Amino acid sequence: MSKRILMVEDTEDNRQIVRDLLATTEYELIEAADGAAGVAAAVAEKPDLILMDIQLPVIDGYEAARRIKADPTLRHIPIIAVTSYALSGDEAKALTAGCDGYIAKPFSPRQLLAMIREFLS
């Protein structure tokens, strides 16, 4: 069975980049366009990995990650923060919120895919 990745990202261009990247892989992509929808999709779909933007409408990625990690049935799912916040301290803030990995935008697709494979292997 193919592994499923939930991408929580409000920018269509960024979703398209990841869609194209994963189209050639064995992974199945689920998409959500805001933080609340991302949490709901995590509950409904129980993905194998979550790619979480931080700057999101409704609730931000930090709060979405906290809510997912607070749910005992979802806590085990790795969350990679994918964000344009790349200042000193932002990675620590993402990890404190419950993210398991961190990648700054603009990212290299190869770098993102390597991180996805590392978490799903």
Side-chain angles (χ1 to χ4, degrees), residues 100-119:
D100 302 279
Y102 177 94
I103 194 162
K105 292 177 189 168
F107 53 80
S108 107
R110 184 179 294 149
Q111 181 190 15
L112 179 62
L113 195 54
M115 187 176 282
I116 289 169
R117 291 218 155 102
E118 191 178 311
F119 275 105

Side-chain angles (χ1 to χ4, degrees), residues 1-120:
M1 202 168 98
S2 66
K3 302 262 181 160
R4 296 172 331 132
I5 297 171
L6 168 62
M7 172 177 43
V8 188
E9 167 63 70
D10 60 324
T11 309
E12 173 59 33
D13 287 353
N14 292 339
R15 286 203 304 268
Q16 188 60 54
I17 290 166
V18 175
R19 236 180 257 137
D20 292 345
L21 176 66
L22 296 180
T24 60
T25 70
E26 67 279 19
Y27 303 124
E28 181 190 328
L29 186 62
I30 303 155
E31 298 178 33
D34 68 62
V39 174
V43 170
E45 302 285 345
K46 306 270 189 301
D48 297 288
L49 177 81
I50 299 170
L51 300 175
M52 180 73 72
D53 185 22
I54 297 299
Q55 289 169 284
L56 289 166
V58 191
I59 60 171
D60 70 17
Y62 295 127
E63 180 59 26
R66 278 192 286 272
R67 290 185 190 183
I68 290 165
K69 291 298 186 176
D71 183 329
T73 65
L74 304 176
R75 187 174 293 146
H76 67 282
I77 302 170
I79 301 175
I80 300 175
V82 183
T83 178
S84 50
Y85 288 152
L87 300 171
S88 165
D90 285 330
E91 181 169 3
K93 191 173 173 186
L95 299 175
T96 302
C99 295
D100 302 279
Y102 177 94
I103 194 162
K105 292 177 189 168
F107 53 80
S108 107
R110 184 179 294 149
Q111 181 190 15
L112 179 62
L113 195 54
M115 187 176 282
I116 289 169
R117 291 218 155 102
E118 191 178 311
F119 275 105
L120 291 179

